[in-house]
Amino acid sequence: MKRIGNEWSVIFTDFRNSFLTKRVLVLFVLHFFVTHIFLAPVRRFAVNVHHPVSAYGFLFLFYNMYYLLLFMFVCIYYFSNTPFLNYHQIYRIIRTGKLRWGIHQIVNIILSSVVLMGSVFVSACIVLFPQLTWENDWGKVLYTLSLTNMAEEYNIMVDFTYEMISRYTPLQLLGLTLGIGVLLISFLGNMMFAVSLFFSRTAALSIASLETAFIIVEANMLMFTKLIYFAPFTWMRLSRIWDLIGQSRPTPSIGDAALYLAAGNLICIVLILWKVKDINYSKHIKKE
């Protein structure tokens, strides 16, 4: 138990050192302002109709491809220092060994994925406060926005899809969205880690940016209907998946998407642990 406690202590130290930095603080401030742009009209509508907004309304932010695009670039920037090597980490590798160090970084990526998803919820709550309700119900505001044209009148860019509201309770959709989101961001981080080990940090950033661009490409290239299978970042748009299923068009189901992302994470982790034993310090070192 003491050894496990020591391992977690090292992991949380690495996580704290990577998270509590000026670059990450600036990143989250910018992310907050983007969230404010999308949700401020919703708060204004809630004030005008004198009804609170469900705190689970933030889940629909991911269905807007422009918000999702910006959010994924936030995640890419967060992981842009892969393979997480600096002089401090080299000292850590010497003490713990390359394999243990690699496992620590993988766990760090998973923890960061949870925090990045949580940051959207926190930002949304701050923007919507005090017009918030925490009940397991979508509430009158979201039902109204999903069934009427009030979203257009208030210039609300968030698509509160009625099919998702009618199909799932807030807690059910929360579980699905967080599950897919953590798997997706973890896959992004692990993929960038693996690519940077085998090739370079530039290659990792290029591939991640290309996959992010597919969010818009897939939505507009109707001739290539199976492109969605090669654009995993679009799978965060659960309403898009149900829309394509309703049109009998090719798309992974939500369950398939989770399975593919879990398999992708596993493949990346295996590649990382295989390659990390031969890591070249001089190739990957990054000054603090």
Side-chain angles (χ1 to χ4, degrees), residues 16-275:
R16 184 186 61 204
N17 292 338
S18 62
F19 187 77
L20 299 178
T21 63
K22 290 182 180 180
R23 63 187 289 274
V24 173
L25 176 61
V26 171
L27 181 69
F28 278 97
V29 169
L30 293 175
H31 177 227
F32 170 79
F33 280 110
V34 171
T35 305
H36 183 274
I37 291 171
F38 278 83
L39 288 182
V42 179
R43 183 186 61 195
R44 186 167 65 252
F45 174 72
V47 170
N48 288 346
V49 298
H50 306 291
H51 284 291
V53 184
S54 170
Y56 302 100
F58 83 98
L59 298 170
F60 294 87
L61 285 168
F62 298 108
Y63 303 160
N64 183 289
M65 65 179 177
Y66 298 108
Y67 184 89
L68 180 59
L69 181 74
L70 292 169
F71 176 69
M72 293 312 301
F73 275 119
V74 166
C75 296
I76 290 173
Y77 183 77
Y78 183 86
F79 292 123
S80 62
N81 62 337
T82 53
F84 316 109
L85 269 178
N86 51 40
Y87 293 115
H88 172 73
Q89 290 296 335
I90 289 179
Y91 174 71
R92 178 69 56 76
I93 291 173
I94 293 172
R95 290 188 58 191
T96 64
K98 295 178 180 179
L99 186 60
R100 283 176 60 192
W101 175 83
I103 294 173
H104 291 169
Q105 302 312 309
I106 291 168
V107 176
N108 192 350
I109 287 172
I110 296 172
L111 289 176
S112 298
S113 303
V114 175
V115 171
L116 285 165
M117 285 296 295
S119 71
V120 180
F121 173 71
V122 173
S123 297
C125 287
I126 294 174
V127 173
L128 294 174
F129 185 82
Q131 304 298 129
L132 283 173
T133 179
W134 299 89
E135 299 177 357
N136 187 29
D137 184 84
W138 293 114
K140 293 184 179 180
V141 169
L142 298 191
Y143 272 113
T144 301
L145 292 175
S146 68
L147 291 170
T148 68
N149 66 343
M150 297 305 296
E152 295 181 7
E153 293 189 18
Y154 280 81
N155 296 317
I156 296 173
M157 295 179 285
V158 183
D159 182 17
F160 296 102
T161 312
Y162 180 72
E163 182 175 8
M164 304 304 291
I165 288 177
S166 61
R167 187 180 295 272
Y168 298 108
T169 68
L171 288 179
Q172 288 173 337
L173 192 58
L174 176 68
L176 284 175
T177 304
L178 291 183
I180 294 291
V182 170
L183 285 171
L184 177 61
I185 300 170
S186 296
F187 171 70
L188 170 65
N190 286 321
M191 180 269 292
M192 291 181 68
F193 193 4
V195 172
S196 63
L197 288 177
F198 279 89
F199 301 101
S200 66
R201 183 179 290 109
T202 301
L205 288 170
S206 299
I207 293 174
S209 299
L210 179 63
E211 281 293 338
T212 302
F214 274 1
I215 293 173
I216 292 180
V217 173
E218 185 278 327
N220 291 281
M221 295 187 68
L222 302 180
M223 294 176 59
F224 302 96
T225 54
K226 294 186 178 180
L227 183 62
I228 192 171
Y229 282 96
F230 303 95
F233 295 173
T234 65
W235 301 345
M236 273 293 289
R237 300 179 66 199
L238 303 185
S239 62
R240 169 74 171 165
I241 288 178
W242 279 114
D243 183 49
L244 293 175
I245 289 175
Q247 299 176 35
S248 299
R249 292 177 57 190
T251 181
S253 66
I254 295 175
D256 288 341
L259 181 63
Y260 296 156
L261 289 171
N265 271 294
L266 181 60
I267 292 171
C268 289
I269 288 171
V270 170
L271 291 173
I272 289 167
L273 297 181
W274 175 55
K275 184 65 175 178

